[in-house]
PDB file of all heavy atoms in Angstrom:
ATOM      1  N   THR A   1      84.401  99.177 107.042  1.00 81.00           N
ATOM      2  CA  THR A   1      84.051  98.772 105.678  1.00 81.00           C
ATOM      3  C   THR A   1      82.852  99.550 105.179  1.00 81.00           C
ATOM      4  O   THR A   1      82.811  99.959 103.978  1.00 81.00           O
ATOM      5  CB  THR A   1      83.747  97.260 105.657  1.00 81.00           C
ATOM      6  OG1 THR A   1      84.905  96.551 106.162  1.00 81.00           O
ATOM      7  CG2 THR A   1      83.467  96.766 104.238  1.00 81.00           C
ATOM      8  N   GLU A   2      81.838  99.766 106.045  1.00 81.00           N
ATOM      9  CA  GLU A   2      80.646 100.477 105.629  1.00 81.00           C
ATOM     10  C   GLU A   2      80.968 101.947 105.288  1.00 81.00           C
ATOM     11  O   GLU A   2      80.371 102.522 104.365  1.00 81.00           O
ATOM     12  CB  GLU A   2      79.618 100.420 106.754  1.00 81.00           C
ATOM     13  CG  GLU A   2      78.955  99.043 106.840  1.00 81.00           C
ATOM     14  CD  GLU A   2      78.003  98.929 108.059  1.00 81.00           C
ATOM     15  OE1 GLU A   2      78.154  99.750 109.007  1.00 81.00           O
ATOM     16  OE2 GLU A   2      77.180  98.004 108.070  1.00 81.00           O
ATOM     17  N   LYS A   3      81.928 102.526 106.040  1.00 81.00           N
ATOM     18  CA  LYS A   3      82.326 103.923 105.744  1.00 81.00           C
ATOM     19  C   LYS A   3      83.017 104.003 104.351  1.00 81.00           C
ATOM     20  O   LYS A   3      82.782 104.921 103.573  1.00 81.00           O
ATOM     21  CB  LYS A   3      83.291 104.392 106.826  1.00 81.00           C
ATOM     22  CG  LYS A   3      82.591 104.787 108.122  1.00 81.00           C
ATOM     23  CD  LYS A   3      83.625 105.221 109.172  1.00 81.00           C
ATOM     24  CE  LYS A   3      82.955 105.506 110.504  1.00 81.00           C
ATOM     25  NZ  LYS A   3      83.936 105.908 111.531  1.00 81.00           N
ATOM     26  N   LEU A   4      83.847 102.958 104.069  1.00 79.00           N
ATOM     27  CA  LEU A   4      84.536 102.903 102.791  1.00 79.00           C
ATOM     28  C   LEU A   4      83.521 102.780 101.637  1.00 79.00           C
ATOM     29  O   LEU A   4      83.637 103.415 100.571  1.00 79.00           O
ATOM     30  CB  LEU A   4      85.520 101.746 102.720  1.00 79.00           C
ATOM     31  CG  LEU A   4      86.823 101.933 103.467  1.00 79.00           C
ATOM     32  CD1 LEU A   4      87.624 100.656 103.476  1.00 79.00           C
ATOM     33  CD2 LEU A   4      87.646 103.068 102.848  1.00 79.00           C
ATOM     34  N   ILE A   5      82.514 101.925 101.894  1.00 80.00           N
ATOM     35  CA  ILE A   5      81.456 101.715 100.854  1.00 80.00           C
ATOM     36  C   ILE A   5      80.745 103.031 100.552  1.00 80.00           C
ATOM     37  O   ILE A   5      80.536 103.402  99.379  1.00 80.00           O
ATOM     38  CB  ILE A   5      80.452 100.641 101.333  1.00 80.00           C
ATOM     39  CG1 ILE A   5      81.121  99.259 101.343  1.00 80.00           C
ATOM     40  CG2 ILE A   5      79.215 100.628 100.437  1.00 80.00           C
ATOM     41  CD1 ILE A   5      80.282  98.170 102.016  1.00 80.00           C
ATOM     42  N   GLU A   6      80.357 103.766 101.613  1.00 80.00           N
ATOM     43  CA  GLU A   6      79.661 105.083 101.428  1.00 80.00           C
ATOM     44  C   GLU A   6      80.576 106.060 100.684  1.00 80.00           C
ATOM     45  O   GLU A   6      80.143 106.834  99.855  1.00 80.00           O
ATOM     46  CB  GLU A   6      79.251 105.649 102.779  1.00 80.00           C
ATOM     47  CG  GLU A   6      78.152 104.903 103.461  1.00 80.00           C
ATOM     48  CD  GLU A   6      76.883 104.851 102.599  1.00 80.00           C
ATOM     49  OE1 GLU A   6      76.515 105.893 102.019  1.00 80.00           O
ATOM     50  OE2 GLU A   6      76.312 103.734 102.465  1.00 80.00           O
ATOM     51  N   LYS A   7      81.890 106.015 101.029  1.00 76.00           N
ATOM     52  CA  LYS A   7      82.836 106.910 100.412  1.00 76.00           C
ATOM     53  C   LYS A   7      83.025 106.599  98.933  1.00 76.00           C
ATOM     54  O   LYS A   7      83.037 107.507  98.072  1.00 76.00           O
ATOM     55  CB  LYS A   7      84.184 106.810 101.161  1.00 76.00           C
ATOM     56  CG  LYS A   7      85.217 107.828 100.729  1.00 76.00           C
ATOM     57  CD  LYS A   7      86.455 107.661 101.588  1.00 76.00           C
ATOM     58  CE  LYS A   7      87.522 108.641 101.143  1.00 76.00           C
ATOM     59  NZ  LYS A   7      88.778 108.488 101.924  1.00 76.00           N
ATOM     60  N   PHE A   8      83.138 105.274  98.625  1.00 75.00           N
ATOM     61  CA  PHE A   8      83.400 104.874  97.232  1.00 75.00           C
ATOM     62  C   PHE A   8      82.162 105.042  96.350  1.00 75.00           C
ATOM     63  O   PHE A   8      82.236 105.240  95.149  1.00 75.00           O
ATOM     64  CB  PHE A   8      83.882 103.427  97.172  1.00 75.00           C
ATOM     65  CG  PHE A   8      85.280 103.234  97.750  1.00 75.00           C
ATOM     66  CD1 PHE A   8      85.716 102.013  98.169  1.00 75.00           C
ATOM     67  CD2 PHE A   8      86.149 104.343  97.841  1.00 75.00           C
ATOM     68  CE1 PHE A   8      86.985 101.848  98.692  1.00 75.00           C
ATOM     69  CE2 PHE A   8      87.433 104.168  98.354  1.00 75.00           C
ATOM     70  CZ  PHE A   8      87.846 102.914  98.798  1.00 75.00           C
ATOM     71  N   ARG A   9      80.957 104.924  96.961  1.00 74.00           N
ATOM     72  CA  ARG A   9      79.738 105.027  96.195  1.00 74.00           C
ATOM     73  C   ARG A   9      79.617 106.404  95.546  1.00 74.00           C
ATOM     74  O   ARG A   9      78.995 106.568  94.487  1.00 74.00           O
ATOM     75  CB  ARG A   9      78.513 104.811  97.105  1.00 74.00           C
ATOM     76  CG  ARG A   9      78.088 103.355  97.190  1.00 74.00           C
ATOM     77  CD  ARG A   9      76.919 103.232  98.121  1.00 74.00           C
ATOM     78  NE  ARG A   9      76.402 101.881  98.161  1.00 74.00           N
ATOM     79  CZ  ARG A   9      75.539 101.384  99.072  1.00 74.00           C
ATOM     80  NH1 ARG A   9      75.174 102.213 100.092  1.00 74.00           N
ATOM     81  NH2 ARG A   9      75.123 100.132  99.022  1.00 74.00           N
ATOM     82  N   ALA A  10      80.171 107.396  96.191  1.00 69.00           N
ATOM     83  CA  ALA A  10      80.018 108.772  95.706  1.00 69.00           C
ATOM     84  C   ALA A  10      80.883 109.042  94.496  1.00 69.00           C
ATOM     85  O   ALA A  10      80.699 110.042  93.771  1.00 69.00           O
ATOM     86  CB  ALA A  10      80.406 109.748  96.847  1.00 69.00           C
ATOM     87  N   LYS A  11      81.864 108.140  94.210  1.00 71.00           N
ATOM     88  CA  LYS A  11      82.767 108.336  93.068  1.00 71.00           C
ATOM     89  C   LYS A  11      82.519 107.258  92.023  1.00 71.00           C
ATOM     90  O   LYS A  11      82.557 106.062  92.339  1.00 71.00           O
ATOM     91  CB  LYS A  11      84.202 108.300  93.512  1.00 71.00           C
ATOM     92  CG  LYS A  11      84.563 109.397  94.507  1.00 71.00           C
ATOM     93  CD  LYS A  11      86.031 109.301  94.942  1.00 71.00           C
ATOM     94  CE  LYS A  11      86.392 110.392  95.945  1.00 71.00           C
ATOM     95  NZ  LYS A  11      87.810 110.259  96.366  1.00 71.00           N
ATOM     96  N   ALA A  12      82.282 107.685  90.802  1.00 67.00           N
ATOM     97  CA  ALA A  12      81.990 106.718  89.709  1.00 67.00           C
ATOM     98  C   ALA A  12      83.164 105.797  89.479  1.00 67.00           C
ATOM     99  O   ALA A  12      82.979 104.578  89.204  1.00 67.00           O
ATOM    100  CB  ALA A  12      81.660 107.472  88.425  1.00 67.00           C
ATOM    101  N   SER A  13      84.395 106.277  89.672  1.00 67.00           N
ATOM    102  CA  SER A  13      85.559 105.472  89.395  1.00 67.00           C
ATOM    103  C   SER A  13      85.760 104.386  90.450  1.00 67.00           C
ATOM    104  O   SER A  13      86.479 103.411  90.232  1.00 67.00           O
ATOM    105  CB  SER A  13      86.836 106.338  89.331  1.00 67.00           C
ATOM    106  OG  SER A  13      86.994 107.010  90.586  1.00 67.00           O
ATOM    107  N   LYS A  14      85.105 104.547  91.594  1.00 69.00           N
ATOM    108  CA  LYS A  14      85.273 103.595  92.704  1.00 69.00           C
ATOM    109  C   LYS A  14      84.008 102.707  92.904  1.00 69.00           C
ATOM    110  O   LYS A  14      83.925 101.950  93.869  1.00 69.00           O
ATOM    111  CB  LYS A  14      85.498 104.345  94.026  1.00 69.00           C
ATOM    112  CG  LYS A  14      86.746 105.249  94.037  1.00 69.00           C
ATOM    113  CD  LYS A  14      88.034 104.395  94.067  1.00 69.00           C
ATOM    114  CE  LYS A  14      89.245 105.317  94.222  1.00 69.00           C
ATOM    115  NZ  LYS A  14      90.477 104.558  94.304  1.00 69.00           N
ATOM    116  N   ALA A  15      83.024 102.860  92.008  1.00 73.00           N
ATOM    117  CA  ALA A  15      81.748 102.114  92.178  1.00 73.00           C
ATOM    118  C   ALA A  15      81.944 100.606  92.218  1.00 73.00           C
ATOM    119  O   ALA A  15      81.348  99.902  93.012  1.00 73.00           O
ATOM    120  CB  ALA A  15      80.784 102.490  91.040  1.00 73.00           C
ATOM    121  N   SER A  16      82.801 100.095  91.343  1.00 77.00           N
ATOM    122  CA  SER A  16      83.025  98.655  91.302  1.00 77.00           C
ATOM    123  C   SER A  16      83.691  98.177  92.587  1.00 77.00           C
ATOM    124  O   SER A  16      83.416  97.092  93.111  1.00 77.00           O
ATOM    125  CB  SER A  16      83.943  98.275  90.123  1.00 77.00           C
ATOM    126  OG  SER A  16      85.206  98.920  90.220  1.00 77.00           O
ATOM    127  N   MET A  17      84.567  99.022  93.157  1.00 77.00           N
ATOM    128  CA  MET A  17      85.215  98.675  94.429  1.00 77.00           C
ATOM    129  C   MET A  17      84.172  98.634  95.568  1.00 77.00           C
ATOM    130  O   MET A  17      84.208  97.748  96.441  1.00 77.00           O
ATOM    131  CB  MET A  17      86.319  99.674  94.735  1.00 77.00           C
ATOM    132  CG  MET A  17      87.210  99.257  95.914  1.00 77.00           C
ATOM    133  SD  MET A  17      88.607 100.361  96.166  1.00 77.00           S
ATOM    134  CE  MET A  17      89.573 100.033  94.719  1.00 77.00           C
ATOM    135  N   ALA A  18      83.210  99.585  95.494  1.00 76.00           N
ATOM    136  CA  ALA A  18      82.152  99.588  96.515  1.00 76.00           C
ATOM    137  C   ALA A  18      81.296  98.312  96.420  1.00 76.00           C
ATOM    138  O   ALA A  18      80.970  97.756  97.462  1.00 76.00           O
ATOM    139  CB  ALA A  18      81.271 100.833  96.289  1.00 76.00           C
ATOM    140  N   GLN A  19      80.991  97.897  95.238  1.00 79.00           N
ATOM    141  CA  GLN A  19      80.201  96.666  95.050  1.00 79.00           C
ATOM    142  C   GLN A  19      80.951  95.449  95.570  1.00 79.00           C
ATOM    143  O   GLN A  19      80.382  94.543  96.173  1.00 79.00           O
ATOM    144  CB  GLN A  19      79.845  96.463  93.555  1.00 79.00           C
ATOM    145  CG  GLN A  19      78.824  97.437  93.025  1.00 79.00           C
ATOM    146  CD  GLN A  19      77.517  97.327  93.783  1.00 79.00           C
ATOM    147  OE1 GLN A  19      77.037  96.225  94.041  1.00 79.00           O
ATOM    148  NE2 GLN A  19      76.912  98.489  94.103  1.00 79.00           N
ATOM    149  N   SER A  20      82.240  95.461  95.348  1.00 81.00           N
ATOM    150  CA  SER A  20      83.096  94.322  95.803  1.00 81.00           C
ATOM    151  C   SER A  20      83.094  94.246  97.344  1.00 81.00           C
ATOM    152  O   SER A  20      82.987  93.202  97.953  1.00 81.00           O
ATOM    153  CB  SER A  20      84.533  94.503  95.305  1.00 81.00           C
ATOM    154  OG  SER A  20      85.379  93.525  95.808  1.00 81.00           O
ATOM    155  N   LEU A  21      83.188  95.449  98.000  1.00 78.00           N
ATOM    156  CA  LEU A  21      83.165  95.488  99.447  1.00 78.00           C
ATOM    157  C   LEU A  21      81.787  95.071 100.007  1.00 78.00           C
ATOM    158  O   LEU A  21      81.725  94.406 101.048  1.00 78.00           O
ATOM    159  CB  LEU A  21      83.474  96.893  99.929  1.00 78.00           C
ATOM    160  CG  LEU A  21      84.940  97.340  99.811  1.00 78.00           C
ATOM    161  CD1 LEU A  21      85.086  98.820 100.150  1.00 78.00           C
ATOM    162  CD2 LEU A  21      85.832  96.509 100.740  1.00 78.00           C
ATOM    163  N   ILE A  22      80.689  95.419  99.278  1.00 81.00           N
ATOM    164  CA  ILE A  22      79.357  95.009  99.700  1.00 81.00           C
ATOM    165  C   ILE A  22      79.229  93.504  99.705  1.00 81.00           C
ATOM    166  O   ILE A  22      78.690  92.897 100.631  1.00 81.00           O
ATOM    167  CB  ILE A  22      78.292  95.682  98.805  1.00 81.00           C
ATOM    168  CG1 ILE A  22      78.231  97.175  99.102  1.00 81.00           C
ATOM    169  CG2 ILE A  22      76.923  95.055  99.061  1.00 81.00           C
ATOM    170  CD1 ILE A  22      77.392  97.991  98.132  1.00 81.00           C
ATOM    171  N   LYS A  23      79.716  92.877  98.615  1.00 81.00           N
ATOM    172  CA  LYS A  23      79.666  91.414  98.531  1.00 81.00           C
ATOM    173  C   LYS A  23      80.477  90.780  99.622  1.00 81.00           C
ATOM    174  O   LYS A  23      80.073  89.749 100.231  1.00 81.00           O
ATOM    175  CB  LYS A  23      80.177  90.972  97.151  1.00 81.00           C
ATOM    176  CG  LYS A  23      79.229  91.288  96.005  1.00 81.00           C
ATOM    177  CD  LYS A  23      79.803  90.837  94.669  1.00 81.00           C
ATOM    178  CE  LYS A  23      78.868  91.219  93.520  1.00 81.00           C
ATOM    179  NZ  LYS A  23      79.492  90.874  92.205  1.00 81.00           N
ATOM    180  N   LYS A  24      81.638  91.330  99.892  1.00 79.00           N
ATOM    181  CA  LYS A  24      82.502  90.791 100.943  1.00 79.00           C
ATOM    182  C   LYS A  24      81.813  90.898 102.298  1.00 79.00           C
ATOM    183  O   LYS A  24      81.913  89.979 103.118  1.00 79.00           O
ATOM    184  CB  LYS A  24      83.820  91.594 100.943  1.00 79.00           C
ATOM    185  CG  LYS A  24      84.832  91.099 101.930  1.00 79.00           C
ATOM    186  CD  LYS A  24      86.114  91.914 101.889  1.00 79.00           C
ATOM    187  CE  LYS A  24      87.124  91.439 102.919  1.00 79.00           C
ATOM    188  NZ  LYS A  24      88.349  92.258 102.935  1.00 79.00           N
ATOM    189  N   LEU A  25      81.124  92.038 102.520  1.00 79.00           N
ATOM    190  CA  LEU A  25      80.454  92.257 103.780  1.00 79.00           C
ATOM    191  C   LEU A  25      79.295  91.265 103.958  1.00 79.00           C
ATOM    192  O   LEU A  25      79.026  90.773 105.058  1.00 79.00           O
ATOM    193  CB  LEU A  25      79.919  93.683 103.868  1.00 79.00           C
ATOM    194  CG  LEU A  25      79.636  94.271 105.244  1.00 79.00           C
ATOM    195  CD1 LEU A  25      80.882  94.224 106.107  1.00 79.00           C
ATOM    196  CD2 LEU A  25      79.117  95.708 105.101  1.00 79.00           C
ATOM    197  N   ASP A  26      78.579  90.967 102.838  1.00 80.00           N
ATOM    198  CA  ASP A  26      77.444  90.021 102.912  1.00 80.00           C
ATOM    199  C   ASP A  26      77.897  88.613 103.313  1.00 80.00           C
ATOM    200  O   ASP A  26      77.126  87.848 103.896  1.00 80.00           O
ATOM    201  CB  ASP A  26      76.759  89.977 101.569  1.00 80.00           C
ATOM    202  CG  ASP A  26      75.948  91.219 101.289  1.00 80.00           C
ATOM    203  OD1 ASP A  26      75.664  91.952 102.267  1.00 80.00           O
ATOM    204  OD2 ASP A  26      75.637  91.521 100.134  1.00 80.00           O
ATOM    205  N   LYS A  27      79.172  88.284 102.979  1.00 77.00           N
ATOM    206  CA  LYS A  27      79.662  86.926 103.277  1.00 77.00           C
ATOM    207  C   LYS A  27      80.191  86.797 104.683  1.00 77.00           C
ATOM    208  O   LYS A  27      80.471  85.662 105.125  1.00 77.00           O
ATOM    209  CB  LYS A  27      80.785  86.595 102.266  1.00 77.00           C
ATOM    210  CG  LYS A  27      80.286  86.409 100.845  1.00 77.00           C
ATOM    211  CD  LYS A  27      81.430  86.104  99.892  1.00 77.00           C
ATOM    212  CE  LYS A  27      80.969  85.921  98.465  1.00 77.00           C
ATOM    213  NZ  LYS A  27      82.072  85.728  97.542  1.00 77.00           N
ATOM    214  N   VAL A  28      80.356  87.915 105.388  1.00 76.00           N
ATOM    215  CA  VAL A  28      80.923  87.855 106.742  1.00 76.00           C
ATOM    216  C   VAL A  28      79.931  87.124 107.666  1.00 76.00           C
ATOM    217  O   VAL A  28      78.758  87.459 107.727  1.00 76.00           O
ATOM    218  CB  VAL A  28      81.212  89.278 107.285  1.00 76.00           C
ATOM    219  CG1 VAL A  28      81.550  89.215 108.776  1.00 76.00           C
ATOM    220  CG2 VAL A  28      82.337  89.901 106.501  1.00 76.00           C
ATOM    221  N   GLU A  29      80.467  86.141 108.354  1.00 73.00           N
ATOM    222  CA  GLU A  29      79.612  85.429 109.355  1.00 73.00           C
ATOM    223  C   GLU A  29      79.707  86.189 110.681  1.00 73.00           C
ATOM    224  O   GLU A  29      80.736  86.282 111.311  1.00 73.00           O
ATOM    225  CB  GLU A  29      80.136  83.981 109.564  1.00 73.00           C
ATOM    226  CG  GLU A  29      79.187  83.115 110.348  1.00 73.00           C
ATOM    227  CD  GLU A  29      79.644  81.655 110.394  1.00 73.00           C
ATOM    228  OE1 GLU A  29      80.279  81.208 109.409  1.00 73.00           O
ATOM    229  OE2 GLU A  29      79.365  80.999 111.398  1.00 73.00           O
ATOM    230  N   ARG A  30      78.562  86.754 111.069  1.00 74.00           N
ATOM    231  CA  ARG A  30      78.532  87.642 112.238  1.00 74.00           C
ATOM    232  C   ARG A  30      78.775  86.792 113.508  1.00 74.00           C
ATOM    233  O   ARG A  30      78.159  85.728 113.707  1.00 74.00           O
ATOM    234  CB  ARG A  30      77.180  88.335 112.367  1.00 74.00           C
ATOM    235  CG  ARG A  30      76.807  89.197 111.161  1.00 74.00           C
ATOM    236  CD  ARG A  30      77.752  90.343 111.011  1.00 74.00           C
ATOM    237  NE  ARG A  30      77.511  91.084 109.740  1.00 74.00           N
ATOM    238  CZ  ARG A  30      77.056  92.356 109.707  1.00 74.00           C
ATOM    239  NH1 ARG A  30      76.761  92.990 110.842  1.00 74.00           N
ATOM    240  NH2 ARG A  30      76.896  92.944 108.549  1.00 74.00           N
ATOM    241  N   ILE A  31      79.670  87.288 114.345  1.00 65.00           N
ATOM    242  CA  ILE A  31      79.965  86.620 115.626  1.00 65.00           C
ATOM    243  C   ILE A  31      78.848  86.904 116.598  1.00 65.00           C
ATOM    244  O   ILE A  31      78.441  88.049 116.793  1.00 65.00           O
ATOM    245  CB  ILE A  31      81.318  87.102 116.197  1.00 65.00           C
ATOM    246  CG1 ILE A  31      82.454  86.689 115.260  1.00 65.00           C
ATOM    247  CG2 ILE A  31      81.518  86.547 117.621  1.00 65.00           C
ATOM    248  CD1 ILE A  31      83.807  87.326 115.624  1.00 65.00           C
ATOM    249  N   GLU A  32      78.294  85.852 117.225  1.00 65.00           N
ATOM    250  CA  GLU A  32      77.244  85.994 118.207  1.00 65.00           C
ATOM    251  C   GLU A  32      77.805  85.675 119.593  1.00 65.00           C
ATOM    252  O   GLU A  32      78.589  84.772 119.750  1.00 65.00           O
ATOM    253  CB  GLU A  32      76.071  85.077 117.896  1.00 65.00           C
ATOM    254  CG  GLU A  32      75.312  85.451 116.642  1.00 65.00           C
ATOM    255  CD  GLU A  32      74.084  84.594 116.414  1.00 65.00           C
ATOM    256  OE1 GLU A  32      73.833  83.736 117.273  1.00 65.00           O
ATOM    257  OE2 GLU A  32      73.413  84.790 115.391  1.00 65.00           O
ATOM    258  N   VAL A  33      77.320  86.432 120.566  1.00 61.00           N
ATOM    259  CA  VAL A  33      77.686  86.196 121.969  1.00 61.00           C
ATOM    260  C   VAL A  33      76.588  85.332 122.584  1.00 61.00           C
ATOM    261  O   VAL A  33      75.426  85.616 122.430  1.00 61.00           O
ATOM    262  CB  VAL A  33      77.845  87.503 122.742  1.00 61.00           C
ATOM    263  CG1 VAL A  33      78.150  87.227 124.228  1.00 61.00           C
ATOM    264  CG2 VAL A  33      78.921  88.363 122.123  1.00 61.00           C
ATOM    265  N   ASP A  34      77.011  84.250 123.280  1.00 57.00           N
ATOM    266  CA  ASP A  34      76.041  83.363 123.925  1.00 57.00           C
ATOM    267  C   ASP A  34      75.160  84.204 124.879  1.00 57.00           C
ATOM    268  O   ASP A  34      75.656  84.960 125.711  1.00 57.00           O
ATOM    269  CB  ASP A  34      76.753  82.293 124.746  1.00 57.00           C
ATOM    270  CG  ASP A  34      77.535  81.348 123.850  1.00 57.00           C
ATOM    271  OD1 ASP A  34      77.252  81.253 122.667  1.00 57.00           O
ATOM    272  OD2 ASP A  34      78.456  80.686 124.391  1.00 57.00           O
TER     273      ASP A  34
END
């Protein structure tokens, strides 16, 4: 997802998609190992 964000950020037409992926990533609950 982070690679896609970096890729989309470079293109003005994909900027909104990059922002959407960033929001999605922020909502991910990180899995922790005991």
Side-chain angles (χ1 to χ4, degrees):
T1 304
E2 287 174 341
K3 285 178 183 177
L4 285 172
I5 290 170
E6 290 302 315
K7 187 177 179 182
F8 290 159
R9 269 178 175 165
K11 298 179 180 179
S13 60
K14 301 287 186 178
S16 61
M17 190 174 291
Q19 288 300 317
S20 176
L21 286 172
I22 289 171
K23 288 178 182 177
K24 184 180 177 183
L25 202 57
D26 288 340
K27 291 178 181 176
V28 170
E29 191 173 331
R30 302 294 173 113
I31 295 171
E32 292 185 3
V33 177
D34 294 340

